[in-house]
Amino acid sequence: MSSGRSQKVKLRYNIVSTIVYIAGIVLLAQLFNLQIIKGEDYRNQSNTRLSRESTLQAARGDILDQSGNKLATTSATQVLELYKTKIDNQTLNNTLLAIAQVLEQNGDKYVDDLPITVEPFAFTMESEETQKKWKKQNNIDESKTAEECFYILKDKYKISNDNISEARKIMTLRYTIAKNGYSSTKTVQLATNISENSLAIFNEQNDKFPGLSIQTKAVRNYVSGSLASHILGYVSRITESELKGNEDKYNANDMIGKTGIEYIFEPYLKGTDGIKQIDMAVDGTITGEYVTNEAIAGKNIVLTIDANLQKVTEEALKNNIEKIRSGGYGKVYNADAGSVVVMNVKTGEVLAMASYPDFEPQLFVDGISQEKYNEYISEEANHPFINRAISSVSPPGSTFKMVTALAALETGAITTTEKINDVGIYNYSADYKPKCWMYSSYGRGHGYLNVTDAIKHSCNYFFYELGNRLGIDAISRYARSLGLGRKTGIELLGEVEGSVSSKENSQAKGETFTGGNTLQAAIGQHDNSFTPVQMAKYISILANGGNDIDVTIIKSIIDEDGNQISKQELENFVKERLGIENDKGTELDFNSKNLQAILEGMRGVTSESGGTAYSYFKDFNIEIGGKTGSAQTGVAGRTNAWFVGFAPFDNPEIAVVVMVENGGSGGYTAEVARDIIAEYFGMNANKVTEDMSAMPSVQIQN
């Protein structure tokens, strides 16, 4: 190597060495500055700073009608939360009192689950059993009075305030903290829907409220009050038992679906929460915030119902019940409840489903008051939480006669042209000699009738004879093939099976099935008892030509990107969620001539003089098929009223089933169906605007 080249290498080495030495000196100087000169300052700052993760609550998915109108949605609201900080007990109590006073002076409410009132002292819990349970949970002797319990808690929380009203404010919030828990990383929720005035005070005086945090959260809103309440259900705060085992998905402040669609589709409606990092001083003052994981909104559930048709259906049912109860049809019946189902006869989609009485889902979001809850569960309220369309059964009365007629025609027990002479009293059963309603009212029978006219006039004698010819086994078999006495599989909790009259049912009850029971079953009595949704399926099958249908109230489920989940995924989810398998029943293959004879009878009910619902439809612009039914309930003086029908007659689109408990006569309920059909076919003026931006004196007869 030449000397010149060697010198260049040494020069480069010396330069690199010098740079390394200088960098080392700089680093050592900086380290000395950090650890020695400014170390104490940085340690003090570190000891007075906390970093916490806060949950960014995901918006719950919307529930929409088939046109995209929102029935349940979420809106942003300000929520007051509290972190645990390094302050003493007295400071905590003072802080909580100050928070309560700010909220109260601005008309805001805070969480108040403390079951003791003051001035005068009293328990808000009605039963002694509930009081004993609460005392046990709080380690208080069960003999203690409300006042004694109050002062026990006052001592427990070391509340020094002599003013008992102020002491209760503090105690209420301390009780909330004790019940739900909180820490330096987990908040306890104190209030929701905070006003602008309260927000301004809390933000401007943040240092006076250590640990206080204001978060924007999504709150459930039921935009149309009680509309479709039994379908939608409601959400409320998660319980301890619901939270157990689901801590990875929920926290103690979360809302969760309790009934209806909100419950069944909770896994889809609940989104994925995000995470926000919050920097706070040890005294609780927030020094910085930033999002680390964005929240993902829940999926939207699109229902098959039409919001405007649902509204008309609910109003028509309510008005009808009030009219019957006030004697509007010439006689007073204490009608107190009812339900309606409107169904697409070709697809099985439920277009409207009403149950009366109903309730307000919104009341449960922030915690329903004890007073309102007591009102709902009182005897006078008549169980407003029950969805009578799927959870209540009733004998169908004469609306069942099409089943008996179809069974007789299909088995050859009668032809479409054969006539039976109704002489008034049916004397062909050893244990039962029933009278036709015509004989009971006018002292004579209907005379000779074929099957079409027997349906039109609802002749009991005719169907007693068919029952006698058929036997109960055939009637039962055809009833089941039409979906009666079987769950429809609708995507709602609480559907019941009902029952079809049969020898097996009687034996299961330890009873002997008789010939007279067959006659009763043939006109929709005895053990026949069905839900309105089953009846809607049955009428749909008759109207569509005998094709089986799958009843549904779900149109689609749409994710945050606008994609629909597959039909197979939806079916599998519903089966697992409800723990059911679809019961397809018997394959349907009915003779079209037989069906037409039955449908013509239903047309006569509404379109021809002498039809049991003619007076209600004689001036109607659309020809329909229908059937009335007045069903004995087994309770003296109580007769349930049914109307079933479809429209239009020549090319059926919808089936309508109405049932009013203790409605007296089936004809009375025909007005409900008339109003619904008029709305469906555009004969009424009022409409709900489609949201294009959304995701997708009358004679009583049977």
Side-chain angles (χ1 to χ4, degrees), residues 616 627-630 640-643 663-670 700-702:
Y616 300 101
K627 186 71 187 77
T628 59
S630 304
N640 290 345
W642 289 87
F643 179 86
S665 170
Y668 298 168
T669 58
I700 298 176
Q701 299 176 335
N702 286 330

Side-chain angles (χ1 to χ4, degrees), residues 399-406 538-539 542 598 602 627 644:
T399 60
F400 184 80
K401 288 175 178 175
M402 289 83 76
V403 175
T404 306
L406 186 61
Y538 147 55
I539 298 303
L542 292 180
I598 291 169
M602 295 179 72
K627 186 71 187 77
V644 300

Side-chain angles (χ1 to χ4, degrees), residues 182-296:
Y182 78 145
S183 68
S184 60
T185 57
K186 174 194 171 189
T187 61
V188 60
Q189 187 171 295
L190 302 183
T192 60
N193 198 25
I194 309 305
S195 66
E196 291 296 328
N197 289 339
S198 292
L199 286 174
I201 294 172
F202 290 134
N203 286 325
E204 291 170 5
Q205 303 177 29
N206 179 260
D207 58 326
K208 295 182 179 179
F209 304 98
L212 199 63
S213 176
I214 299 170
Q215 301 294 327
T216 301
K217 291 195 174 183
V219 172
R220 201 58 161 171
N221 282 323
Y222 298 94
V223 298
S224 299
S226 63
L227 186 73
S229 57
H230 295 94
I231 299 171
L232 301 177
Y234 63 87
V235 298
S236 64
R237 188 175 297 179
I238 192 169
T239 64
E240 187 177 341
S241 60
E242 289 168 333
L243 181 59
K244 188 175 182 180
N246 292 302
E247 290 84 356
D248 58 328
K249 301 175 185 176
Y250 297 91
N251 64 60
N253 293 325
D254 277 339
M255 295 288 175
I256 191 171
K258 302 288 186 175
T259 63
I261 295 296
E262 295 278 28
Y263 170 79
I264 296 297
F265 292 94
E266 171 67 25
Y268 286 107
L269 288 165
K270 178 175 170 52
T272 304
D273 292 339
I275 298 174
K276 178 168 67 174
Q277 202 75 23
I278 300 176
D279 292 335
M280 300 176 70
V282 73
D283 64 357
T285 303
I286 297 175
T287 58
E289 299 181 2
Y290 52 94
V291 176
T292 56
N293 285 328
E294 294 286 353
I296 302 173

